[in-house]
Amino acid sequence: MSLFNDIYDVIVIGAGHAGCEAAFASAKMGSHTLLITMNLQSVAQMSCNPAMGGIAKGQILREIDALGGMSAIVTDKTAIQFKMLNMSKGPAMWSPRAQSDRMKFSEEWRRVLEHTDNLDLYQDTVISLIIENNIIKGVKTTLGFPIHAKTVIITAGTFLNGKIHIGTKSFSGGRAGDKASTGITEDLIALGFETDRMKTGTPPRVDSRSLDFSKMIAQPGDDHPTKFSYSDSTSPLHLQKPCYITYTNTEVHNLLRTGFSRSPLFNGTIMSVGPRYCPSVEDKINRFADKERHQIFVEPEGWDTIEYYVNGFSTSLPEDVQDLALRSIPGFENVKILRFGYAIEYDYFPPTQLKHSLESKIVENLFFAGQVNGTTGYEEAAAQGLMAGINAHLKIKDKAPFILQRNEAYIGVLIDDLITKGTEEPYRMFTSRAEFRTLLRQDNADIRLTEKSYNIGLADKFRLDAVYIKIQQTALFIKFLEKTSISPEEINPLFAKYETASINQSMKMFKVFSRPQLTMDDILTFPMIKTFVESNQIKQDVIEQVAIHLKYSGYINKEQNTADKVTRLENLKIPEHFDFNKINSLSIEARQKLSKIKPTSISQAGRISGVSPSDISVLLIHLGR
């Protein structure tokens, strides 16, 4: 295919986490795809923290894997540490996290893309969009020639009119060492798009040879690490690198305050809003002046590098202030800085201008994914990219969009929050954002999503077969526990150990083992259970499913019933061109909000801020309900 003469099915602008997943998904599904990036050496670069997953983000990464995306596999292959967070809480809160080798992560993603059929890579900068009659037709690059496509996905990250700030210095850039991208925002504004600015930041990187780790607290990985991908193409880590924790103190805070007058955050240079849940260190000591110290996570950037990431010390203060303040942190007395921290401002497009498919409401066949939609985080970006790539492919095949509901995936919660509520600050996913988080656990994303993805042509057949085996083995194990009894003589010694009430007659294992004091390790010590597990070749992920079912089946069933009721409202569709302004009995605010968002269902309409239950009742009447 020639760049000059032929028409691509999909063009993806930007090769960050969103762009890589978008390009992979559309190409894997059969669309001839072109991925355009300003620098092919920076594919999937981890511009900030060299880690994947974490609270709620780990669930998203497992959902990407269940759908057939590549971020989890790339993470497993390039991880240097793995942890399952929140294990002291219920399974809805368990969240996997991996520390990554920054350079190997980018290298592995490049390898994946280069070995993906139907995918072309091209280094250039897109400076304008080709749009005719509000339909995207392609892009133009700095070299001046057009490249035509049926669909275009914008995944430009922080590059659109990006501006970097360090102290009193400001300069154009998409991130340190890379130039900003101009032209796309201006084209979209001319077409009637709303745009605004957001801010994010990054901390200094330091030379580990200059640190005194004896003054820090080591944070090793899990003793028995697992992994992200459900597939057998990756393996858990055998060796891991530790991270470390240290703390700021009042001396550090006082030194940081000396630079406030030169801080772009406080002197008015930065006008945009930064991430609420990942504030800069100067913002933390300003907002939480009563706190005498803040945690600092000292994280390796890879297996074979001296570079360490100072997590918790994101800053745009002047270089001299950064240097002085760091030297007052325990273990950093002789620190050598490799890269200073900085802040960056960039353009984003309020996501209420998008459909659930991430296609623009204004320009047909134009999709947006990642930080241009107002999100923060690699995982949120990758999830959007995957969904945009899927839906761009489906659009050119005249197929219905692939939409995940809020009770089906964190990805569904993410996209619904963005397009229904919008965001005025960088959006970050939390478990608390998901009202059905007991259903949306990290352990069952494959059961929830792989069949859906297989049916649209993305997930492979071997993935689906593995899910069916997992479901069958789980059902078999549960049935065994429900039908098999255990005697008082067998179980009462264990009850005595945990000082819980004994039984005086035989009972079914399922009921006995559901007691909260008993762990799965306890249960697996019983000869009957061990024999069953071994003879049926029950895998560890099945054992985990059964353990959760034993302890939480009542909660899960209750939440599923609630989700089913919400699904009925999702099925009450609102016609695409429904005129809300003609319904005078709606409040003025409701008419304005509904006309702007254009919800596709009664359930979505009810989630829009400013739309009251009485407004929903009025809508139901007008829709004949």
Side-chain angles (χ1 to χ4, degrees), residues 147-406:
I147 308 174
H148 294 96
K150 298 172 185 176
T151 61
V152 172
I153 306 173
I154 298 176
T155 66
T158 61
F159 279 73
L160 296 182
N161 293 316
K163 191 173 186 180
I164 292 173
H165 302 275
I166 304 177
T168 56
K169 305 179 184 74
S170 297
F171 50 91
S172 174
R175 63 178 164 231
D178 289 308
K179 64 182 181 179
S181 173
T182 59
I184 293 176
T185 297
E186 292 72 19
D187 279 1
L188 293 173
I189 290 174
L191 289 164
F193 280 84
E194 296 177 31
T195 185
D196 208 336
R197 302 279 280 174
M198 279 188 176
K199 168 257 177 188
T200 189
T202 192
R205 274 69 156 180
V206 300
D207 186 334
S208 61
R209 296 171 300 181
S210 66
L211 303 179
D212 184 352
F213 291 108
S214 69
K215 296 182 178 180
M216 306 180 197
I217 304 167
Q219 296 289 300
D222 287 345
D223 291 336
H224 303 287
T226 53
K227 60 192 185 80
F228 272 105
S229 180
Y230 294 99
S231 77
D232 293 330
S233 62
T234 64
S235 303
L237 287 169
H238 297 295
L239 296 173
Q240 300 187 73
K241 288 198 78 168
C243 297
Y244 297 86
I245 289 179
T246 184
Y247 293 88
T248 63
N249 50 52
T250 54
E251 183 182 356
V252 174
H253 298 178
N254 289 334
L255 286 168
L256 289 169
R257 289 188 182 98
T258 65
F260 279 11
S261 61
R262 293 183 287 153
S263 166
L265 197 63
F266 299 130
N267 64 18
T269 305
I270 294 178
M271 302 295 292
S272 49
V273 180
R276 177 187 299 268
Y277 302 102
C278 189
S280 64
V281 68
E282 57 263 39
D283 194 22
K284 281 192 285 192
I285 66 170
N286 186 53
R287 285 164 51 189
F288 308 109
D290 58 318
K291 301 289 185 182
E292 294 185 355
R293 66 177 192 170
H294 294 283
Q295 254 183 352
I296 300 293
F297 295 90
V298 187
E299 302 172 339
E301 297 257 344
W303 288 112
D304 302 310
T305 178
I306 60 168
E307 192 167 355
Y308 270 57
Y309 180 91
V310 191
N311 195 344
F313 204 86
S314 175
T315 181
S316 57
L317 286 166
E319 298 94 321
D320 59 319
V321 177
Q322 293 188 38
D323 184 71
L324 282 171
L326 275 176
R327 290 177 184 279
S328 294
I329 296 174
F332 280 73
E333 292 83 359
N334 298 305
V335 67
K336 292 180 180 179
I337 296 175
L338 297 176
R339 315 186 204 190
F340 286 101
Y342 63 89
I344 182 167
E345 289 185 288
Y346 55 94
D347 294 339
Y348 85 102
F349 298 90
T352 51
Q353 300 170 100
L354 304 178
K355 302 174 184 178
H356 270 101
S357 63
L358 297 180
E359 182 186 12
S360 157
K361 296 174 184 175
I362 299 172
V363 174
E364 189 174 357
N365 297 342
L366 177 62
F367 295 76
F368 292 72
Q371 282 182 277
V372 291
N373 288 342
T375 59
T376 180
Y378 308 140
E379 303 82 5
E380 291 91 340
Q384 294 171 71
L386 181 72
M387 298 299 286
I390 290 170
N391 284 315
H393 168 82
L394 294 174
K395 182 70 186 288
I396 62 176
K397 298 297 182 183
D398 293 321
K399 294 183 178 180
F402 181 61
I403 309 297
L404 294 172
Q405 304 299 333
R406 297 180 70 90

Side-chain angles (χ1 to χ4, degrees), residues 437-465:
R437 56 186 171 273
T438 304
L439 302 179
L440 309 182
R441 305 184 309 276
Q442 56 82 30
D443 61 272
N444 69 353
D446 54 341
I447 295 172
R448 291 185 275 119
L449 300 175
T450 298
E451 186 173 16
K452 294 177 185 292
S453 183
Y454 176 77
N455 290 338
I456 62 170
L458 180 56
D460 293 317
K461 180 66 161 57
F462 77 86
R463 292 288 198 115
L464 186 63
D465 291 342

